[in-house]
Amino acid sequence: MDDHALAAALVTDAARLAADMRRDGTDAERKTSAADCAAWDWLPGRALVEGAGGVATIVRAHGHDWHLAGAPTAVRQAAELLGAG
């Protein structure tokens, strides 16, 4: 999967989550773990990705902190798409 396809898949998942949250109301609160995570879960993965030459960032969008890590182009594209959504 190339960087663009990966970014598109990530944003598609984000859009699906947002649609579920609008449709499901309180049920959606259980689904927020897809976007929000605790530091103990985020930091080890971030370290691995950055150690392998990737990048990591947190983007605030649609009421959630989206933790993005991977190839620089994929992360940049996903961050841009989340910000535009």
Side-chain angles (χ1 to χ4, degrees), residues 50-67:
E50 290 177 339
V55 297
T57 191
I58 300 172
V59 175
R60 183 80 180 161
H62 311 286
H64 296 283
D65 291 329
W66 294 90
H67 296 68

Side-chain angles (χ1 to χ4, degrees), residues 10 37 39 41-60 65-79 82:
L10 175 68
C37 71
D41 194 18
W42 165 243
L43 295 176
R46 175 184 175 179
L48 288 170
V49 169
E50 290 177 339
V55 297
T57 191
I58 300 172
V59 175
R60 183 80 180 161
D65 291 329
W66 294 90
H67 296 68
L68 308 175
T73 302
V75 171
R76 179 181 47 77
Q77 289 174 340
L82 280 168

Side-chain angles (χ1 to χ4, degrees), residues 2-53:
D2 66 10
D3 288 351
H4 183 70
L6 184 60
L10 175 68
V11 173
T12 299
D13 287 345
R16 188 175 300 123
L17 174 64
D20 286 349
M21 292 177 79
R22 284 190 301 274
R23 183 184 66 243
D24 294 343
T26 57
D27 256 356
E29 292 174 10
R30 292 193 309 260
K31 299 177 184 175
T32 59
S33 63
D36 301 313
C37 71
W40 63 263
D41 194 18
W42 165 243
L43 295 176
R46 175 184 175 179
L48 288 170
V49 169
E50 290 177 339

